């Protein structure tokens, strides 16, 4: 959790990795604040970190 109280989740379904950023009031992966689909776990993790950093910079 960061200062924005957001959570990043990296998960895999079938052959795709997903990056999901949820707020603490609605931590469900079916209703994300943001998500993306990636072919590798490191790519999904990097995307989530980049998105969280952008949110932090905007606040």
């Amino acid at each position: 959790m960061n200062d924005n109280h957001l959570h990043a989740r990296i998960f895999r379904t079938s052959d795709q990795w997903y990056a999901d950023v949820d707020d603490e009031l609605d931590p469900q992966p079916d209703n994300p604040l943001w998500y993306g689909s990636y072919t590798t776990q490191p790519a999904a993790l990097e995307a989530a970190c980049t998105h969280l950093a952008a949110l932090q910079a905007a606040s």
Side-chain angles (χ1 to χ4, degrees):
M1 188 155 71
N2 65 13
D3 290 340
N4 290 322
H5 303 286
L6 299 174
H7 303 263
R9 181 181 311 122
I10 306 301
F11 58 98
R12 182 179 181 174
T13 60
S14 186
D15 61 347
Q16 290 292 310
W17 285 92
Y18 292 88
D20 180 22
V21 177
D22 300 305
D23 66 35
E24 62 189 0
L25 298 177
D26 189 12
Q28 301 301 316
D30 61 337
N31 189 18
L33 173 66
W34 170 86
Y35 71 95
S37 174
Y38 302 92
T39 56
T40 66
Q41 182 183 30
L45 183 57
E46 182 177 341
C49 291
T50 298
H51 187 69
L52 288 173
L55 290 173
Q56 179 67 28
S59 64

